[in-house]
Amino acid sequence: MNTQVFKYPIPFAKLSGTGNDFIIIDHREPFIPESDQSEFARLVCRRRFSVGADGLILIENSEKADFRWQFYNADGSRAEMCGNGARCAARFAYEKDIAPAAMRFETTAGEIEAFVLSAGGESVKIRLTAPEDLRLNIPVSLGSVEQTLHFINTGVPHTVLLVNDAGMVPVADWGRKVRFHEMFQPAGTNANFTQVLAGDTLMVRTYERGVEGETMACGTGAVASALIAVLLEQANPPVTVITSGGEKLTIHFSTTVEGSERKLDLAAGIFLEGPAHETYEGKMGPEALQE
């Protein structure tokens, strides 16, 4: 990648969704060639050496929605969807007059609806695409321990493991084993370790694919955990999720009962609500892209 072709300084904003942080760039007048975007994301997302973030979001023009995004994980890989990223992108678009408070935007996973709920933009609710590929009660060996995983794709693939104490889970070790397990190849999966608390509340720790480590929050992982917990009769919607960063997300959805089986009411929609904080705006120079 020839970093000298860019016009410096490059303006950007940094937003955080319950500790999941993102670099967001207004790319409606494109200046990063698509062939360079993956490497650009990897370089600017490096912590301590560049801006640092869990991901990069490029806001682009759309012919059928208010905008579209290009989303890259910190390692430069593309992701179909990111719940917290979507909420942050919605706030950014609203603050920059790119989109109204009730908006639609394109992602690789499909079209997302978003709603900026507060005057200052801090609270954002999104409607996710319908989940797919639900698989319950999958036996998996994690080291010498037999565990039961549950799988669902909430825009990106997620496994959920219900645990007694989320704080005691070796997330880096178990998460890596699940993420790269042959059962979930070639795409791999995110791994959520979920503790059921009182009052339809969950504590969730997530090992994120593409970040390759535990993040402070994962929106689509919180949704996956909530859906699985309810389907397993461990909670009732709406479900509150406490993230690793200590903030809260609320997942709104409905279920139906067919015979003795509880199912998701997909027609009613699945919504993720929580804070989206704009932490700062800045401008990056060429040294942000140096190895």
Side-chain angles (χ1 to χ4, degrees):
M1 181 175 66
N2 182 7
T3 61
Q4 301 306 312
V5 301
F6 300 133
K7 183 179 179 180
Y8 297 103
I10 299 171
F12 70 93
K14 187 78 176 291
L15 280 84
S16 172
T18 58
N20 225 179
D21 59 339
F22 307 94
I23 298 164
I24 304 184
I25 294 175
D26 185 346
H27 202 236
R28 290 175 295 166
E29 295 184 6
F31 63 91
I32 309 171
E34 187 172 354
S35 59
D36 290 338
Q37 289 176 6
S38 175
E39 181 67 0
F40 182 94
R42 186 187 69 81
L43 291 172
V44 299
C45 287
R46 294 171 301 157
R47 299 191 187 277
R48 293 176 292 277
F49 294 100
S50 190
V51 179
D54 290 328
L56 168 71
I57 298 171
L58 303 177
I59 302 295
E60 299 183 341
N61 289 314
S62 168
E63 294 183 356
K64 63 179 185 179
D66 293 299
F67 63 93
R68 71 174 184 178
W69 81 359
Q70 306 294 340
F71 184 93
Y72 292 89
N73 291 312
D75 66 355
S77 62
R78 298 193 69 150
E80 302 91 332
M81 176 55 187
C82 173
N84 286 329
R87 293 187 304 98
C88 289
R91 176 171 181 185
F92 177 89
Y94 175 71
E95 296 280 351
K96 300 299 182 184
D97 293 323
I98 298 170
M103 68 188 79
R104 297 178 299 111
F105 62 96
E106 293 181 77
T107 74
T108 306
E111 196 170 279
I112 299 297
E113 293 180 80
F115 310 88
V116 178
L117 301 178
S118 58
E122 294 92 345
S123 182
V124 180
K125 185 177 184 179
I126 62 169
R127 177 173 182 156
L128 286 86
T129 54
E132 300 176 331
D133 197 16
L134 172 66
R135 287 178 269 164
L136 299 177
N137 302 313
I138 306 168
V140 172
S141 295
L142 298 180
S144 59
V145 183
E146 279 289 327
Q147 299 286 357
T148 300
L149 296 180
H150 313 282
F151 180 90
I152 192 168
N153 189 312
T154 54
V156 288
H158 279 280
T159 59
V160 176
L161 173 60
L162 298 182
V163 298
N164 292 327
D165 185 349
M168 297 300 294
V169 174
V171 172
D173 181 28
W174 284 9
R176 191 177 303 109
K177 286 183 170 69
V178 173
R179 184 262 189 267
F180 291 104
H181 197 283
E182 60 183 10
M183 186 180 304
F184 306 111
Q185 296 308 309
T189 182
N190 300 280
N192 302 277
F193 303 94
T194 302
Q195 179 182 352
V196 178
L197 305 175
D200 301 314
T201 300
L202 309 176
M203 172 78 74
V204 178
R205 298 176 65 190
T206 303
Y207 182 101
E208 281 205 57
R209 181 188 65 162
V211 178
E212 305 311 336
E214 182 178 3
T215 54
M216 291 295 97
C218 176
T220 53
V223 172
S225 296
L227 298 180
I228 294 297
V230 168
L231 290 174
L232 294 177
E233 306 286 348
Q234 299 295 306
N236 293 291
V239 176
T240 298
V241 170
I242 302 172
T243 68
S244 294
E247 293 197 274
K248 294 181 180 180
L249 293 165
T250 304
I251 297 86
H252 305 268
F253 60 100
S254 300
T255 60
T256 60
V257 177
E258 297 182 14
S260 60
E261 187 176 3
R262 195 170 193 181
K263 292 188 175 183
L264 300 173
D265 182 0
L266 298 182
I270 296 171
F271 297 85
L272 171 66
E273 180 183 351
H277 301 297
E278 185 176 86
T279 54
Y280 61 87
E281 291 189 353
K283 296 179 180 179
M284 64 179 78
E287 291 181 48
L289 297 169
Q290 290 180 357
E291 290 276 19

